[in-house]
Amino acid sequence: MKRRTSVMPVVIISASVALATNSTDTYTDDKVYSSATTDSTKVIDIDEVIVIATPKENNRLRQQSVSATSLSHAEMNVYSVNNIKSLNGLVPNLYIPDYGSKLTTSVYIRGIGSRISTPAVGLYVDNIPFIDKSAFDFNYSDIEHIDVMRGPQGTLYGRNTMGGLIRVFTKSPFSYQGTDISLRGATYNNYKASLSHYHRISEKIAFSANFFYEHKGGFFKNTDRDNERIDKSDEFGGRFRFIYLPKDNLKLDFTVNHEYSDQGGYPYQLTEVSEIDFFHNDLKKDLGKIAYNKECGYKRNLLNGGLNIEQQSDNFIFSSVTGFQWLDDRMDLDQDFTRKDIYTMTHKQNSKTISQEFVIKSKQGKRWQWTTGASGFYQWLDTEAPVSFHKDGIQWINGMTNYMANKYMPVIPMGPMAMKLAFNDVINGDVLDIPGNFKTPIFNTAVFHQSTLNDLFGIEGLSFTAGIRMDYEKLKMNYDSGCEYTHTYSLKPKIVTPDKKSRKPGIRFPEYFVYPTTFQQNVNYNGELKHDYIQLLPKFAIQYDFDRNNNIYATVSKGYRSGGYNIQMFSDILQNDMKSNNMGDVAKTTIEALKKMPSGMVNKETLEKIVGMMEGMAQKQEVDVKKTTLYKPEYSWNYEMGSHISLFDKRLTMDLATFYMITHDQQTSRFAKSGLGRITVNAGKSRSAGAEVALIAQITDELSFNGNYGFTHATFTEYVIDDKTNYNGKFVPFVPKHTFNIGGQYVFNIKRCSWLDNITVNANYKGAGRIYWTEKNNVSQDVYGTLNGRVSFNKAKGQVSFWINNALNKEYQSFYFESMNRGFSQMGRPLQVGVDVRFRF
């Protein structure tokens, strides 16, 4: 294998900030070895220092026609990036609301995102795809660097990358040596410890092992549970990586990691109660408080494994990537989030995914560069989602049913008097359990090819890229959901004449027309659904390289997000059937009783009206389960222009991009008609336009500045629900119009000090807004920002850092939603200070 060797400073730089260290490394293809020391702070790209094989690309990110940001391990420490959700504000037009639990990771890029169901932004870890976004939020204790690529990446990466792609790379034991110990302590009882060892046994074998534990004491209190911190958590895990180079042109890279999480939740405070709320008066006192009575939480076991095989020949590189993921979790939820005992939900998943990808790509430096491959995965997913209505919930169901029935019950004239029938039907018991078991396996396979022709038309630096991918996906759902219960019905006469003197003497009414009668009901849905589709994902790009570090490009690309089934819809289907079945019992009994009334007590016209109302309420609608539960794939076309610029010997770097995106069959999250359970629906079309800029300026060897800004204007263009509800022109929810970050670093070099090399001071201000939380655009979070800082004392291989997040203690909403005519929000995390201690030996 041909090798090239050079000596360069270890300055790990991304598109966000310049960070310098005092050492140099010797670089060979995918190895970096420690060497002498120097005082250089030259700004260079992370890809120039740490070369991590990606099977599909031929060039560094800043040499590609893509808008992207990379964060190094050092930058992650500076910005306290401990998981995917802490990327907020560091990447233009990226928004990941930190709410709920690790089960929910909603990633939004350029107006594209997903609250539930399939993700709109893909995630790869060491080239292994993470199919389910329930696995996106994991601990970053031994991560080398992160790439965030914006815009559809479907041609090379397939489904669920229509908004972009996040690539995470762990440290290689060939490029990093030694043992690292990291300790953290912070306010709100936050503690973390991490131990990592990286060892190169020989020129052919290296391995690494990492272990971590983290405890979070929680930021928010539940006033209904003795003010306990409800978002506390514990998590621990480890990672093992083994790399074997049997030949100069062959590499085998095996990784396995496991993580266990036990989280509390959820810090949702009541912000709005509608006057039509059944419990309006009881809940008004809880406005502005987190107050719910049932214990909530999320527990997850996550195991990932993968094998990367790379073989180089004289003309091409062959890669095989095999992945396996096992996820077993459980969420317990007080679904009404109030101190009332309405209803709870348990959500248990057991998922196993096997993925395989084969890629062949040309070597660098060729006029024609190409990548071709095939991929596939199969996911087994079993879900248990039982819902339980408790005492107040059953009261709510009974109250709403009886209110609606009595509201339309006609008044019966009785000469000088009048009578109304008092309808009363109640579901019996203190708890109504509605179990649900679902198996939703997914099979996906694809073939793809992408070619780039350099020096097009003989013009040096001009290139054209074209690619296409064919994605086939097959979905299946086996469902079993239903319940058994009893309900008791009675019908009483009620005199409604206000004047007692007008009551006709001698007339006596029976105590009941229908004496309390109990009925048994069994409602169940059991069956199987299948669905499949094919998506073609093309990409076209033209690029001109002024030199190795400066270019301009334009791209047109398509991406898509897969469809699926709304298992939450079964609660709606069952409730409708329960209502119609109950009314069937009620109607039959009532009509028989009315016909037995004394002649003349109820005239024919009134009797027909009552009978018609009863029969109408008892009428059962046939349910098309597939049509009711299935939602279609979402796809988008992205048109983009951008440039990567490096000036003044790379002391100033800029990345610029502008984009226009049209999304079809956009998937949005909405509560079911009953208000119980959230579902995904296809909203029609939306349009997103915006721009991005990121820059780094190395002013002196000690002083550097960085910043980025993203603007997104995302609105619905075709979204009509009915004659009264039209969202055309409304902003797409959960998409910030502005995202921004500005920061700086200064290094105080300490001379003639045996116990200290330098002091590094970092500060940054980041934020987002305006963010609309609802499709009506009636609730929003204005533009906000948080000030953060860090002071690090560095000596050789040791570091002590004091940091502060949200230094101004800014209050803002990180999440808002509506349920059962109520509004709930989660506030952003308050001011927090802490200390990190790291050393290496």
Side-chain angles (χ1 to χ4, degrees):
M1 180 174 64
K2 183 179 179 181
R3 298 178 182 270
R4 65 185 189 278
T5 303
S6 63
V7 177
M8 59 179 66
V10 179
V11 185
I12 303 179
I13 293 299
S14 76
S16 298
V17 66
L19 296 174
T21 62
N22 295 323
S23 65
T24 61
D25 285 343
T26 301
Y27 160 84
T28 66
D29 278 359
D30 57 1
K31 301 189 178 105
V32 182
Y33 304 119
S34 180
S35 184
T37 61
T38 184
D39 290 323
S40 173
T41 56
K42 181 181 178 183
V43 178
I44 58 178
D45 295 323
I46 186 173
D47 294 332
E48 293 180 334
V49 181
I50 305 296
V51 177
I52 300 177
T54 55
K56 300 173 184 178
E57 287 83 11
N58 286 291
N59 298 311
R60 296 183 297 113
L61 272 179
R62 299 193 77 248
Q63 292 177 330
Q64 298 177 35
S65 54
V66 63
S67 179
T69 299
S70 291
L71 292 174
S72 70
H73 178 72
E75 291 172 295
M76 291 167 62
N77 288 336
V78 167
Y79 291 127
S80 298
V81 177
N82 303 310
N83 53 47
I84 190 172
K85 293 174 181 175
S86 49
L87 291 172
N88 259 341
L90 304 179
V91 178
N93 283 326
L94 170 72
Y95 181 64
I96 310 175
D98 186 4
Y99 70 92
S101 68
K102 289 178 177 286
L103 172 69
T104 307
T105 302
S106 304
V107 186
Y108 293 82
I109 294 181
R110 295 181 173 181
I112 300 295
S114 168
R115 279 191 58 194
I116 61 174
S117 305
T118 54
V121 177
L123 175 68
Y124 276 62
V125 179
D126 287 336
N127 303 318
I128 306 296
F130 277 36
I131 306 301
D132 195 324
K133 65 187 181 73
S134 298
F136 276 22
D137 190 357
F138 63 93
N139 196 282
Y140 282 1
S141 59
D142 67 333
I143 303 303
E144 180 59 56
H145 84 272
I146 302 171
D147 298 331
V148 181
M149 305 161 70
R150 297 179 290 280
Q153 307 298 319
T155 304
L156 290 181
Y157 291 94
R159 71 198 292 273
N160 301 343
T161 60
M162 61 179 294
L165 178 71
I166 299 174
R167 301 189 308 195
V168 178
F169 299 96
T170 61
K171 292 180 179 179
S172 168
F174 267 114
S175 62
Y176 194 87
Q177 298 295 300
T179 300
D180 288 354
I181 296 177
S182 175
L183 303 173
R184 164 172 289 189
T187 52
Y188 294 95
N189 292 318
N190 191 337
Y191 308 102
K192 182 180 179 181
S194 175
L195 171 65
S196 303
H197 180 70
Y198 306 87
H199 189 71
R200 188 177 68 251
I201 298 174
S202 67
E203 290 294 317
K204 294 182 177 294
I205 299 176
F207 75 91
S208 63
N210 164 266
F211 305 94
F212 77 91
Y213 169 77
E214 183 170 10
H215 170 77
K216 296 177 181 177
F219 295 90
F220 303 99
K221 297 179 180 180
N222 186 349
T223 59
D224 195 60
R225 295 183 63 86
D226 298 325
N227 285 320
E228 68 173 350
R229 300 281 181 179
I230 59 173
D231 56 327
K232 59 187 176 183
S233 68
D234 289 280
E235 56 187 62
F236 62 86
R239 184 188 306 273
F240 179 78
R241 185 173 183 183
F242 179 81
I243 302 177
Y244 177 45
L245 309 175
K247 300 179 182 179
D248 283 348
N249 66 339
L250 180 62
K251 179 173 72 174
L252 284 74
D253 188 348
F254 172 76
T255 60
V256 62
N257 71 283
H258 173 261
E259 181 174 305
Y260 175 76
S261 303
D262 184 357
Q263 291 184 295
Y266 294 75
Y268 301 152
Q269 68 179 35
L270 184 66
T271 59
E272 183 180 357
V273 183
S274 170
E275 291 186 359
I276 64 173
D277 192 316
F278 189 80
F279 298 105
H280 174 261
N281 293 328
D282 294 336
L283 298 179
K284 283 195 301 183
K285 63 180 180 295
D286 288 331
L287 286 172
K289 300 177 183 178
I290 301 171
Y292 54 86
N293 61 311
K294 297 292 187 180
E295 186 175 356
C296 296
Y298 179 66
K299 297 179 180 180
R300 185 188 71 185
N301 267 297
L302 178 63
L303 175 70
N304 293 283
L307 175 62
N308 285 259
I309 302 175
E310 180 183 290
Q311 185 167 16
Q312 300 195 26
S313 69
D314 292 338
N315 298 313
F316 63 84
I317 301 173
F318 169 79
S319 299
S320 169
V321 182
T322 306
F324 173 76
Q325 183 176 93
W326 171 71
L327 182 148
D328 187 76
D329 67 2
R330 175 183 176 128
M331 176 184 68
D332 293 292
L333 198 62
D334 185 342
Q335 188 75 33
D336 57 273
F337 298 109
T338 68
R339 64 176 77 245
K340 304 299 291 185
D341 213 6
I342 301 177
Y343 77 119
T344 59
M345 182 181 72
T346 298
H347 188 276
K348 294 192 288 185
Q349 293 182 121
N350 187 283
S351 170
K352 295 176 284 291
T353 306
I354 295 177
S355 62
Q356 177 63 55
E357 188 165 46
F358 299 105
V359 180
I360 302 175
K361 71 176 181 180
S362 61
K363 292 216 167 181
Q364 290 183 336
K366 305 290 185 180
R367 185 166 182 247
W368 176 36
Q369 293 182 328
W370 50 268
T371 300
T372 191
S375 67
F377 75 84
Y378 191 88
Q379 181 184 64
W380 297 264
L381 177 58
D382 297 343
T383 305
E384 294 181 43
V387 175
S388 297
F389 289 90
H390 301 275
K391 183 176 66 174
D392 292 328
I394 294 175
Q395 179 190 351
W396 171 69
I397 294 174
N398 292 334
M400 296 300 292
T401 301
N402 294 324
Y403 169 79
M404 294 302 295
N406 285 309
K407 179 179 180 181
Y408 295 104
M409 191 71 72
V411 174
I412 303 172
M414 307 287 296
M417 302 169 59
M419 175 186 72
K420 194 169 185 178
L421 300 179
F423 176 102
N424 185 50
D425 188 28
V426 298
I427 295 174
N428 300 315
D430 291 331
V431 179
L432 174 63
D433 292 316
I434 304 178
N437 296 281
F438 308 93
K439 297 180 184 295
T440 51
I442 301 173
F443 170 72
N444 178 280
T445 187
V447 292
F448 58 91
H449 177 83
Q450 180 170 295
S451 285
T452 298
L453 185 62
N454 296 307
D455 299 336
L456 189 65
F457 307 124
I459 302 174
E460 186 177 355
L462 182 65
S463 63
F464 176 75
T465 298
I468 191 166
R469 182 188 190 97
M470 184 180 74
D471 229 64
Y472 170 77
E473 184 150 316
K474 185 173 183 178
L475 309 171
K476 185 177 178 182
M477 177 171 68
N478 288 289
Y479 55 91
D480 183 6
S481 181
C483 64
E484 294 183 3
Y485 64 96
T486 63
H487 68 106
T488 300
Y489 168 65
S490 65
L491 187 67
K492 299 178 69 173
K494 181 180 179 182
I495 303 299
V496 295
T497 304
D499 187 1
K500 292 184 179 180
K501 294 181 180 181
S502 65
R503 295 184 180 182
K504 191 174 181 179
I507 296 181
R508 297 186 63 184
F509 291 92
E511 182 182 1
Y512 286 96
F513 286 134
V514 177
Y515 279 87
T517 306
T518 299
F519 301 90
Q520 180 81 28
Q521 279 291 347
N522 186 343
V523 184
N524 185 267
Y525 278 85
N526 187 299
E528 179 180 284
L529 298 177
K530 295 180 181 179
H531 185 65
D532 64 352
Y533 50 81
I534 293 177
Q535 290 281 330
L536 295 177
L537 305 174
K539 176 184 177 180
F540 306 96
I542 188 167
Q543 179 171 313
Y544 181 72
D545 298 332
F546 300 100
D547 54 43
R548 187 172 181 269
N549 300 303
N550 295 274
N551 58 57
I552 188 172
Y553 67 86
T555 65
V556 178
S557 56
K558 180 186 177 183
Y560 93 99
R561 178 153 63 113
S562 58
Y565 296 105
N566 283 304
I567 63 175
Q568 299 91 337
M569 276 302 297
F570 282 92
S571 63
D572 250 31
I573 296 173
L574 289 167
Q575 283 185 73
N576 289 332
D577 281 0
M578 288 168 63
K579 290 177 182 177
S580 61
N581 288 358
N582 289 4
M583 288 308 302
D585 295 332
V586 168
K588 181 180 178 180
T589 307
T590 302
I591 293 171
E592 290 177 355
L594 293 178
K595 288 180 179 179
K596 294 179 181 179
M597 284 185 177
S599 177
M601 181 171 286
V602 179
N603 62 47
K604 183 178 180 181
E605 182 181 351
T606 303
L607 180 61
E608 289 178 350
K609 186 174 182 179
I610 296 173
V611 170
M613 183 187 74
M614 290 285 182
E615 289 179 343
M617 295 175 67
Q619 187 174 359
K620 185 175 181 180
Q621 296 182 350
E622 291 297 323
V623 177
D624 186 333
V625 176
K626 183 174 183 178
K627 183 178 179 180
T628 305
T629 60
L630 180 69
Y631 57 92
K632 299 182 294 184
E634 164 186 314
Y635 69 94
S636 66
W637 283 95
N638 182 70
Y639 307 88
E640 180 176 340
M641 292 183 63
S643 181
H644 305 296
I645 301 171
S646 298
L647 301 173
F648 310 116
D649 194 25
K650 296 187 180 180
R651 284 188 173 269
L652 176 65
T653 63
M654 290 189 294
D655 295 295
L656 310 170
T658 181
F659 62 89
Y660 180 79
M661 186 181 297
I662 300 175
T663 304
H664 301 259
D665 294 325
Q666 181 155 7
Q667 298 172 12
T668 62
S669 176
R670 183 197 304 164
F671 269 97
K673 290 182 180 180
S674 65
L676 308 175
R678 188 168 290 278
I679 61 173
T680 297
V681 299
N682 295 99
K685 283 186 181 180
S686 72
R687 178 175 53 214
S688 179
E692 300 158 353
V693 58
L695 62 87
I696 307 167
Q698 189 74 44
I699 307 302
T700 67
D701 287 350
E702 294 79 23
L703 178 64
S704 64
F705 292 101
N706 67 90
N708 69 67
Y709 170 74
F711 171 77
T712 299
H713 187 274
T715 56
F716 293 112
T717 57
E718 293 183 14
Y719 190 5
V720 179
I721 296 179
D722 52 43
D723 294 338
K724 298 181 180 180
T725 310
N726 186 328
Y727 294 128
N728 291 347
K730 298 291 186 180
F731 287 96
V732 178
F734 289 84
V735 177
K737 199 169 187 179
H738 309 278
T739 61
F740 57 88
N741 175 55
I742 183 170
Q745 171 181 283
Y746 192 86
V747 180
F748 295 89
N749 290 308
I750 309 298
K751 298 181 179 180
R752 300 176 183 177
C753 182
S754 60
W755 55 273
L756 189 63
D757 291 337
N758 61 66
I759 301 174
T760 305
V761 179
N762 297 90
N764 78 295
Y765 185 76
K766 63 179 182 178
R770 176 179 297 264
I771 307 169
Y772 290 96
W773 300 118
T774 65
E775 294 161 333
K776 295 179 183 179
N777 289 180
N778 60 332
V779 184
S780 64
Q781 168 62 53
D782 203 354
V783 177
Y784 70 92
T786 61
L787 179 64
N788 314 282
R790 175 179 292 260
V791 179
S792 301
F793 298 85
N794 307 298
K795 173 61 180 177
K797 297 179 180 180
Q799 182 185 77
V800 178
S801 301
F802 298 91
W803 52 267
I804 183 170
N805 290 333
N806 195 5
L808 303 179
N809 204 26
K810 175 67 176 179
E811 291 188 1
Y812 61 94
Q813 286 183 336
S814 62
F815 177 58
Y816 174 90
F817 68 96
E818 295 177 346
S819 175
M820 300 178 68
N821 298 309
R822 302 164 195 152
F824 297 89
S825 67
Q826 178 175 328
M827 303 306 293
R829 292 178 178 177
L831 181 152
Q832 185 181 30
V833 297
V835 57
D836 293 345
V837 178
R838 295 183 175 89
F839 53 93
R840 178 184 177 196
F841 57 89

